[in-house]
Short mmCIF file of all heavy atoms in Angstrom, two decimals:
data_model
loop_
_atom_site.label_atom_id
_atom_site.label_comp_id
_atom_site.label_asym_id
_atom_site.label_seq_id
_atom_site.Cartn_x
_atom_site.Cartn_y
_atom_site.Cartn_z
N LEU V 16 76.56 117.23 152.40
CA LEU V 16 76.12 116.80 153.73
C LEU V 16 76.40 115.31 153.97
O LEU V 16 76.75 114.91 155.08
CB LEU V 16 74.63 117.08 153.89
CG LEU V 16 74.20 118.56 153.92
CD1 LEU V 16 72.68 118.66 154.02
CD2 LEU V 16 74.86 119.30 155.08
N ARG V 17 76.26 114.52 152.93
CA ARG V 17 76.39 113.07 153.08
C ARG V 17 77.83 112.60 153.09
O ARG V 17 78.21 111.71 153.88
CB ARG V 17 75.65 112.39 151.93
CG ARG V 17 75.65 110.87 151.97
CD ARG V 17 75.04 110.27 150.72
NE ARG V 17 75.81 110.58 149.53
CZ ARG V 17 75.34 111.22 148.46
NH1 ARG V 17 74.09 111.63 148.42
NH2 ARG V 17 76.13 111.45 147.42
N ASP V 18 78.68 113.20 152.24
CA ASP V 18 79.99 112.62 151.96
C ASP V 18 81.18 113.41 152.49
O ASP V 18 82.29 112.88 152.51
CB ASP V 18 80.17 112.42 150.45
CG ASP V 18 79.16 111.45 149.87
OD1 ASP V 18 78.60 110.64 150.64
OD2 ASP V 18 78.91 111.51 148.64
N THR V 19 80.99 114.68 152.88
CA THR V 19 82.14 115.45 153.34
C THR V 19 82.19 115.60 154.85
O THR V 19 83.24 115.94 155.39
CB THR V 19 82.19 116.86 152.71
OG1 THR V 19 81.14 117.67 153.24
CG2 THR V 19 82.07 116.79 151.20
N LEU V 20 81.08 115.39 155.54
CA LEU V 20 81.02 115.62 156.98
C LEU V 20 81.07 114.31 157.75
O LEU V 20 80.34 113.36 157.43
CB LEU V 20 79.75 116.38 157.36
CG LEU V 20 79.68 117.84 156.93
CD1 LEU V 20 78.75 117.98 155.73
CD2 LEU V 20 79.17 118.71 158.06
N THR V 21 81.90 114.28 158.78
CA THR V 21 81.97 113.14 159.69
C THR V 21 81.77 113.65 161.10
O THR V 21 82.49 114.55 161.56
CB THR V 21 83.33 112.43 159.60
OG1 THR V 21 83.52 111.97 158.26
CG2 THR V 21 83.38 111.25 160.56
N ARG V 22 80.80 113.08 161.80
CA ARG V 22 80.51 113.53 163.17
C ARG V 22 81.54 112.96 164.14
O ARG V 22 81.94 111.80 164.05
CB ARG V 22 79.12 113.10 163.59
CG ARG V 22 78.69 113.66 164.94
CD ARG V 22 77.23 113.43 165.21
NE ARG V 22 76.83 114.04 166.48
CZ ARG V 22 75.57 114.14 166.89
NH1 ARG V 22 74.59 113.67 166.13
NH2 ARG V 22 75.30 114.70 168.05
N ASP V 23 81.96 113.81 165.07
CA ASP V 23 82.91 113.43 166.11
C ASP V 23 82.42 114.07 167.41
O ASP V 23 82.80 115.20 167.74
CB ASP V 23 84.31 113.91 165.75
CG ASP V 23 85.36 113.49 166.77
OD1 ASP V 23 85.03 112.70 167.67
OD2 ASP V 23 86.51 113.97 166.67
N GLY V 24 81.58 113.38 168.14
CA GLY V 24 80.96 113.95 169.34
C GLY V 24 80.04 115.09 168.95
O GLY V 24 79.13 114.91 168.14
N ASP V 25 80.29 116.27 169.50
CA ASP V 25 79.46 117.43 169.14
C ASP V 25 80.14 118.28 168.07
O ASP V 25 79.76 119.44 167.86
CB ASP V 25 79.14 118.29 170.37
CG ASP V 25 80.38 118.91 171.00
OD1 ASP V 25 81.52 118.55 170.61
OD2 ASP V 25 80.22 119.77 171.89
N GLU V 26 81.12 117.70 167.37
CA GLU V 26 81.83 118.40 166.31
C GLU V 26 81.65 117.67 164.98
O GLU V 26 81.25 116.50 164.95
CB GLU V 26 83.33 118.50 166.62
CG GLU V 26 83.65 119.25 167.90
CD GLU V 26 85.12 119.24 168.24
OE1 GLU V 26 85.92 118.63 167.48
OE2 GLU V 26 85.48 119.83 169.26
N TYR V 27 81.96 118.38 163.89
CA TYR V 27 81.97 117.77 162.57
C TYR V 27 83.29 118.09 161.88
O TYR V 27 83.72 119.25 161.85
CB TYR V 27 80.82 118.29 161.70
CG TYR V 27 79.49 117.61 161.97
CD1 TYR V 27 78.63 118.12 162.94
CD2 TYR V 27 79.10 116.47 161.28
CE1 TYR V 27 77.41 117.51 163.20
CE2 TYR V 27 77.89 115.86 161.53
CZ TYR V 27 77.05 116.38 162.49
OH TYR V 27 75.84 115.77 162.75
N PHE V 28 83.90 117.06 161.34
CA PHE V 28 85.10 117.20 160.52
C PHE V 28 84.66 117.23 159.07
O PHE V 28 83.81 116.42 158.65
CB PHE V 28 86.05 116.03 160.77
CG PHE V 28 87.38 116.15 160.09
CD1 PHE V 28 88.41 116.87 160.68
CD2 PHE V 28 87.60 115.56 158.85
CE1 PHE V 28 89.65 116.99 160.05
CE2 PHE V 28 88.83 115.67 158.22
CZ PHE V 28 89.86 116.38 158.83
N VAL V 29 85.22 118.15 158.26
CA VAL V 29 84.75 118.37 156.89
C VAL V 29 85.92 118.21 155.92
O VAL V 29 86.87 118.99 155.95
CB VAL V 29 84.16 119.79 156.72
CG1 VAL V 29 83.48 119.91 155.36
CG2 VAL V 29 83.18 120.11 157.84
N ILE V 30 85.86 117.20 155.06
CA ILE V 30 86.89 117.07 154.03
C ILE V 30 86.52 117.97 152.85
O ILE V 30 85.37 118.35 152.67
CB ILE V 30 87.09 115.62 153.57
CG1 ILE V 30 85.81 115.05 152.93
CG2 ILE V 30 87.54 114.75 154.73
CD1 ILE V 30 86.01 113.71 152.26
N THR V 31 87.52 118.28 152.02
CA THR V 31 87.28 119.19 150.88
C THR V 31 86.66 118.48 149.69
O THR V 31 86.24 119.12 148.74
CB THR V 31 88.60 119.81 150.39
OG1 THR V 31 89.41 118.78 149.83
CG2 THR V 31 89.33 120.48 151.51
N GLY V 32 86.64 117.18 149.71
CA GLY V 32 86.22 116.38 148.57
C GLY V 32 87.24 115.28 148.38
O GLY V 32 87.33 114.35 149.20
N ASP V 33 88.07 115.40 147.35
CA ASP V 33 89.02 114.32 147.05
C ASP V 33 90.35 114.45 147.80
O ASP V 33 91.31 113.77 147.46
CB ASP V 33 89.26 114.24 145.54
CG ASP V 33 89.65 115.58 144.92
OD1 ASP V 33 90.03 116.49 145.68
OD2 ASP V 33 89.57 115.71 143.69
N ILE V 34 90.42 115.31 148.81
CA ILE V 34 91.58 115.38 149.71
C ILE V 34 91.07 115.15 151.13
O ILE V 34 90.12 115.81 151.55
CB ILE V 34 92.29 116.75 149.61
CG1 ILE V 34 92.78 116.99 148.18
CG2 ILE V 34 93.47 116.81 150.58
CD1 ILE V 34 93.42 118.34 147.97
N PRO V 35 91.66 114.22 151.88
CA PRO V 35 91.08 113.82 153.17
C PRO V 35 91.46 114.73 154.34
O PRO V 35 91.73 114.25 155.44
CB PRO V 35 91.67 112.42 153.36
CG PRO V 35 93.02 112.50 152.72
CD PRO V 35 92.83 113.39 151.52
N ALA V 36 91.52 116.03 154.11
CA ALA V 36 91.88 116.98 155.17
C ALA V 36 90.81 118.06 155.25
O ALA V 36 90.02 118.24 154.32
CB ALA V 36 93.25 117.59 154.91
N MET V 37 90.81 118.80 156.36
CA MET V 37 89.84 119.88 156.59
C MET V 37 90.55 121.21 156.53
O MET V 37 91.42 121.49 157.35
CB MET V 37 89.14 119.70 157.94
CG MET V 37 88.15 120.79 158.28
SD MET V 37 87.19 120.35 159.76
CE MET V 37 86.32 121.90 160.07
N TRP V 38 90.18 122.03 155.56
CA TRP V 38 90.67 123.39 155.44
C TRP V 38 89.71 124.33 156.17
O TRP V 38 88.48 124.21 156.04
CB TRP V 38 90.76 123.81 153.98
CG TRP V 38 92.09 123.63 153.33
CD1 TRP V 38 93.01 124.59 153.05
CD2 TRP V 38 92.66 122.40 152.85
NE1 TRP V 38 94.11 124.04 152.44
CE2 TRP V 38 93.93 122.71 152.30
CE3 TRP V 38 92.22 121.07 152.83
CZ2 TRP V 38 94.75 121.74 151.73
CZ3 TRP V 38 93.03 120.10 152.29
CH2 TRP V 38 94.29 120.44 151.75
N LEU V 39 90.25 125.26 156.95
CA LEU V 39 89.40 126.24 157.64
C LEU V 39 88.60 127.05 156.64
O LEU V 39 87.42 127.35 156.88
CB LEU V 39 90.27 127.16 158.50
CG LEU V 39 90.87 126.49 159.74
CD1 LEU V 39 92.01 127.34 160.29
CD2 LEU V 39 89.81 126.26 160.81
N ARG V 40 89.20 127.44 155.54
CA ARG V 40 88.50 128.21 154.51
C ARG V 40 87.44 127.37 153.82
O ARG V 40 86.28 127.75 153.74
CB ARG V 40 89.51 128.72 153.47
CG ARG V 40 88.89 129.36 152.24
CD ARG V 40 89.94 129.64 151.18
NE ARG V 40 90.66 128.44 150.81
CZ ARG V 40 91.94 128.20 151.11
NH1 ARG V 40 92.64 129.07 151.80
NH2 ARG V 40 92.52 127.07 150.73
N ASP V 41 87.83 126.23 153.29
CA ASP V 41 86.91 125.42 152.50
C ASP V 41 85.73 124.94 153.33
O ASP V 41 84.58 124.91 152.84
CB ASP V 41 87.64 124.19 151.93
CG ASP V 41 88.70 124.55 150.90
OD1 ASP V 41 89.34 125.61 151.07
OD2 ASP V 41 88.89 123.79 149.94
N SER V 42 85.98 124.55 154.58
CA SER V 42 84.88 124.04 155.41
C SER V 42 83.86 125.13 155.70
O SER V 42 82.70 124.82 156.00
CB SER V 42 85.43 123.46 156.72
OG SER V 42 86.16 124.42 157.46
N THR V 43 84.26 126.39 155.61
CA THR V 43 83.31 127.49 155.71
C THR V 43 82.54 127.66 154.42
O THR V 43 81.29 127.69 154.41
CB THR V 43 84.03 128.80 156.05
OG1 THR V 43 84.61 128.70 157.35
CG2 THR V 43 83.08 129.98 156.03
N THR V 44 83.24 127.79 153.31
CA THR V 44 82.56 128.08 152.04
C THR V 44 81.73 126.89 151.57
O THR V 44 80.73 127.09 150.87
CB THR V 44 83.60 128.45 150.97
OG1 THR V 44 84.61 127.44 150.90
CG2 THR V 44 84.25 129.78 151.31
N GLN V 45 82.09 125.67 151.94
CA GLN V 45 81.27 124.52 151.60
C GLN V 45 79.88 124.61 152.22
O GLN V 45 78.93 124.04 151.69
CB GLN V 45 81.98 123.23 152.05
CG GLN V 45 83.16 122.83 151.18
CD GLN V 45 83.99 121.73 151.82
OE1 GLN V 45 85.10 121.98 152.29
NE2 GLN V 45 83.48 120.51 151.85
N LEU V 46 79.78 125.30 153.34
CA LEU V 46 78.49 125.41 154.03
C LEU V 46 77.69 126.64 153.63
O LEU V 46 76.55 126.81 154.07
CB LEU V 46 78.73 125.44 155.54
CG LEU V 46 79.35 124.19 156.16
CD1 LEU V 46 79.58 124.39 157.65
CD2 LEU V 46 78.47 122.97 155.92
N TRP V 47 78.25 127.49 152.80
CA TRP V 47 77.62 128.78 152.51
C TRP V 47 76.17 128.65 152.00
O TRP V 47 75.29 129.38 152.47
CB TRP V 47 78.47 129.55 151.49
CG TRP V 47 78.47 131.03 151.74
CD1 TRP V 47 77.74 131.96 151.08
CD2 TRP V 47 79.22 131.73 152.74
NE1 TRP V 47 77.99 133.21 151.60
CE2 TRP V 47 78.90 133.09 152.62
CE3 TRP V 47 80.13 131.34 153.73
CZ2 TRP V 47 79.46 134.07 153.44
CZ3 TRP V 47 80.69 132.31 154.53
CH2 TRP V 47 80.35 133.65 154.39
N PRO V 48 75.87 127.75 151.05
CA PRO V 48 74.49 127.69 150.55
C PRO V 48 73.46 127.30 151.62
O PRO V 48 72.28 127.65 151.50
CB PRO V 48 74.55 126.62 149.46
CG PRO V 48 75.98 126.45 149.13
CD PRO V 48 76.73 126.79 150.37
N TYR V 49 73.90 126.60 152.65
CA TYR V 49 72.97 126.11 153.67
C TYR V 49 72.60 127.17 154.71
O TYR V 49 71.65 126.99 155.47
CB TYR V 49 73.58 124.91 154.41
CG TYR V 49 74.03 123.80 153.50
CD1 TYR V 49 75.37 123.70 153.13
CD2 TYR V 49 73.14 122.86 153.00
CE1 TYR V 49 75.81 122.70 152.29
CE2 TYR V 49 73.57 121.84 152.16
CZ TYR V 49 74.91 121.76 151.80
OH TYR V 49 75.33 120.77 150.97
N LEU V 50 73.35 128.27 154.74
CA LEU V 50 73.12 129.25 155.81
C LEU V 50 71.75 129.90 155.70
O LEU V 50 71.17 130.31 156.71
CB LEU V 50 74.23 130.32 155.77
CG LEU V 50 75.64 129.78 155.99
CD1 LEU V 50 76.65 130.92 155.99
CD2 LEU V 50 75.74 128.99 157.29
N ARG V 51 71.21 129.99 154.49
CA ARG V 51 69.86 130.53 154.31
C ARG V 51 68.79 129.58 154.85
O ARG V 51 67.64 129.97 154.99
CB ARG V 51 69.60 130.79 152.82
CG ARG V 51 69.80 129.54 151.99
CD ARG V 51 69.55 129.67 150.51
NE ARG V 51 70.07 130.82 149.84
CZ ARG V 51 71.33 130.99 149.43
NH1 ARG V 51 72.24 130.04 149.72
NH2 ARG V 51 71.70 132.06 148.78
N MET V 52 69.15 128.35 155.16
CA MET V 52 68.19 127.33 155.59
C MET V 52 68.17 127.11 157.09
O MET V 52 67.36 126.33 157.60
CB MET V 52 68.52 125.99 154.90
CG MET V 52 68.68 126.06 153.40
SD MET V 52 69.24 124.47 152.71
CE MET V 52 69.68 124.96 151.03
N LEU V 53 69.05 127.77 157.83
CA LEU V 53 69.24 127.43 159.24
C LEU V 53 68.02 127.74 160.09
O LEU V 53 67.73 127.03 161.05
CB LEU V 53 70.45 128.19 159.80
CG LEU V 53 71.81 127.88 159.16
CD1 LEU V 53 72.91 128.62 159.89
CD2 LEU V 53 72.08 126.38 159.17
N GLY V 54 67.29 128.81 159.75
CA GLY V 54 66.13 129.16 160.55
C GLY V 54 65.03 128.12 160.53
O GLY V 54 64.21 128.06 161.45
N GLY V 55 65.03 127.28 159.50
CA GLY V 55 63.98 126.27 159.38
C GLY V 55 64.41 124.88 159.76
O GLY V 55 63.63 123.93 159.60
N SER V 56 65.62 124.72 160.27
CA SER V 56 66.09 123.37 160.58
C SER V 56 67.05 123.38 161.75
O SER V 56 68.20 123.82 161.62
CB SER V 56 66.78 122.75 159.35
OG SER V 56 67.40 121.52 159.69
N ARG V 57 66.60 122.90 162.89
CA ARG V 57 67.48 122.78 164.05
C ARG V 57 68.61 121.79 163.75
O ARG V 57 69.75 122.00 164.16
CB ARG V 57 66.66 122.28 165.24
CG ARG V 57 67.49 121.92 166.47
CD ARG V 57 67.89 123.13 167.26
NE ARG V 57 68.80 122.80 168.34
CZ ARG V 57 69.01 123.57 169.40
NH1 ARG V 57 68.34 124.70 169.54
NH2 ARG V 57 69.87 123.22 170.32
N GLU V 58 68.30 120.72 163.02
CA GLU V 58 69.30 119.71 162.71
C GLU V 58 70.44 120.31 161.88
O GLU V 58 71.62 120.07 162.16
CB GLU V 58 68.66 118.55 161.96
CG GLU V 58 69.63 117.39 161.68
CD GLU V 58 68.97 116.27 160.91
OE1 GLU V 58 67.81 116.43 160.47
OE2 GLU V 58 69.62 115.22 160.74
N LEU V 59 70.10 121.10 160.87
CA LEU V 59 71.12 121.71 160.04
C LEU V 59 71.91 122.75 160.83
O LEU V 59 73.14 122.85 160.69
CB LEU V 59 70.48 122.35 158.81
CG LEU V 59 71.41 122.87 157.73
CD1 LEU V 59 72.36 121.78 157.24
CD2 LEU V 59 70.60 123.43 156.56
N ALA V 60 71.23 123.50 161.69
CA ALA V 60 71.92 124.47 162.54
C ALA V 60 72.91 123.77 163.47
O ALA V 60 73.99 124.29 163.76
CB ALA V 60 70.91 125.28 163.33
N ASP V 61 72.54 122.57 163.93
CA ASP V 61 73.44 121.80 164.78
C ASP V 61 74.69 121.36 164.01
O ASP V 61 75.79 121.30 164.58
CB ASP V 61 72.72 120.56 165.34
CG ASP V 61 71.75 120.90 166.46
OD1 ASP V 61 71.83 122.01 167.02
OD2 ASP V 61 70.91 120.03 166.78
N VAL V 62 74.51 121.01 162.75
CA VAL V 62 75.66 120.61 161.93
C VAL V 62 76.64 121.77 161.80
O VAL V 62 77.85 121.60 162.00
CB VAL V 62 75.19 120.13 160.54
CG1 VAL V 62 76.39 119.98 159.60
CG2 VAL V 62 74.43 118.82 160.65
N VAL V 63 76.13 122.95 161.47
CA VAL V 63 77.02 124.11 161.33
C VAL V 63 77.69 124.43 162.67
O VAL V 63 78.88 124.76 162.72
CB VAL V 63 76.24 125.32 160.79
CG1 VAL V 63 77.16 126.55 160.70
CG2 VAL V 63 75.66 125.01 159.42
#
């Protein structure tokens, strides 16, 4: 959450880690653990 996501208006750009690009696949799977938390956090739901 701290180091891979960069806010751009109402969007978020997600790097894979040590490569400065956003993969459609990786940016999905990077968020997988947080999906169980969305019901309890509007802020996290906004990030996704």
Side-chain angles (χ1 to χ4, degrees):
L16 294 177
R17 182 187 64 238
D18 298 339
T19 70
L20 290 104
T21 300
R22 186 169 183 172
D23 182 8
D25 64 350
E26 299 176 359
Y27 279 89
F28 186 85
V29 189
I30 62 171
T31 67
D33 52 16
I34 300 177
M37 178 171 171
W38 265 257
L39 289 163
R40 171 189 56 250
D41 293 35
S42 59
T43 295
T44 53
Q45 286 168 253
L46 297 178
W47 216 259
Y49 306 98
L50 299 182
R51 57 179 44 80
M52 309 174 191
L53 298 184
S56 172
R57 172 80 187 200
E58 184 181 7
L59 188 55
D61 285 345
V62 169
V63 178

